[in-house]
Amino acid sequence: MLTVRRRWLAATAGLAAGGGMRSRQTLAQAPFPSRPVRVIVPAGAGSGPDTAMRLLADRLAALWGKPVVVDNRGGGSGNVGAGAAARAEPDGHVLLFSQASPLVLNQHLTRSMPFDPARDLTPVTLLMCTPFVLAARPGLGVRSLAELAAWAREARGGLTFATGGATSLPRFAGEQLARGLGIRLTNVPYGVSPQALQDTIAGRTDLVIDGTPLITPQLRAGLLSPVAITSATRFPGLEAVPAAAETLPGFEMGGWFALLGPGGMPAALAERIAADAARVLAVPDLRDRLLHEFGAIVSADGPAALAALMERERASLGRLVRELEVPIE
């Protein structure tokens, strides 16, 4: 009786596995796109991510010959929109345009995630990277990481750095810089980045770290002094600002935006969409607009590179959250 039951279970498991394989093969071979494509953006209309995705959507629609509709799903620090994408059919007609936090950080800060980023989403391609700039109040007299380290070691009191939030990526980038330099910096989190910026300009905090669109105008106006940029090399338009890697070899950390599909998307389909995204992003005028309006460098490397990036940053940010004892909600 047990032998018969085992044979029956093995047979039904084989049928289920075969059905799943055929389903993925069918998805991979189905024409794409066969109808409008919906791209979920886990941010509100008019936000930076929304505007950037709409630029891409127009180009993809022209390439695909089908409408590409942006679906704004804000809330939950990006978890609401990413969770909605995770529950969609993996046929490529629902995609996710997400910044890094819902994919590599939120799971370390939230007790109950509505989805598992590693299991429920399929990496398609990294689209663009947005480094952070560390800048100092004018009176601090610091213009490099080496000078910052020397000042911090000689100072009797601790230095403060302002960010837009205690669980924002710029906060963790600032903490990583401090650890790399072997100094102590105290984070002063604000509810919004502009307030962090203004308080540093006013001298109430010593440093501020945020994206290039927010910091660059203040550097050019002489209201802040540049210390470092967190890209691997110097950044276009900010060539006078040292890259952090010049002092801390190998250091690179910043925000980024990626395109993903629901879990179970066939590899061939993910590769096809990644190749189309890379083709769109190769157009010089779009690359220039993303650089000047969003401080973003285009980087379309495909599914494998995105999967490796997510795994790497998920591990490193998890360690940092634990070491800093960041409260989990």
Side-chain angles (χ1 to χ4, degrees), residues 1-252:
M1 183 70 178
L2 287 174
T3 301
V4 173
R5 178 171 174 78
R6 287 193 189 101
R7 288 175 178 167
W8 178 81
L9 287 172
T12 54
L15 286 172
M21 184 178 296
R22 285 193 296 274
S23 176
R24 287 191 292 273
Q25 290 172 343
T26 300
L27 287 173
Q29 295 167 1
F32 174 85
S34 59
R35 60 182 186 276
V37 174
R38 181 164 58 97
V39 182
I40 296 175
V41 177
S47 63
D50 170 71
T51 305
M53 184 59 233
R54 289 180 189 276
L55 291 176
L56 297 173
D58 290 343
R59 309 298 179 100
L60 287 171
L63 178 64
W64 287 338
K66 298 289 183 183
V68 177
V69 181
V70 175
D71 181 1
N72 298 103
R73 299 282 189 97
S77 299
N79 287 347
V80 172
R87 293 188 295 272
E89 286 295 319
D91 60 3
H93 291 89
V94 175
L95 299 171
L96 172 69
F97 175 77
S98 179
Q99 58 191 20
S101 292
L103 308 177
V104 298
L105 177 59
N106 289 359
Q107 67 193 90
H108 302 301
L109 303 170
T110 307
R111 294 190 188 280
S112 180
M113 282 281 286
F115 67 100
D116 181 339
R119 181 193 65 209
D120 300 331
L121 292 170
T122 299
V124 173
T125 187
L126 183 67
L127 293 173
M128 50 191 183
C129 302
T130 55
F132 304 131
V133 178
L134 180 67
R137 58 179 172 85
L140 195 63
V142 167
R143 298 188 69 88
S144 71
L145 288 179
E147 291 181 3
L148 174 62
W151 201 106
R153 292 188 184 107
E154 295 172 3
R156 294 183 179 179
L159 290 172
T160 57
F161 73 102
T163 61
T167 58
S168 65
L169 281 174
R171 185 265 170 104
F172 293 113
E175 299 282 5
Q176 287 284 54
L177 285 171
R179 285 166 180 250
L181 294 170
I183 63 175
R184 182 174 179 273
L185 298 177
T186 300
N187 179 230
V188 181
Y190 291 80
V192 291
S193 294
Q195 187 60 53
L197 182 74
Q198 291 304 317
D199 270 18
T200 305
I201 292 172
R204 287 185 280 273
T205 51
D206 299 307
L207 303 148
V208 62
I209 182 167
D210 213 291
T212 58
L214 187 71
I215 303 290
T216 300
Q218 317 308 321
L219 299 179
R220 291 177 176 160
L223 298 174
L224 291 170
S225 298
V227 178
I229 191 161
T230 64
S231 49
T233 59
R234 299 200 180 201
F235 194 74
L238 291 174
E239 287 85 358
V241 182
E246 294 174 28
T247 302
L248 301 171
F251 188 97
E252 183 180 9

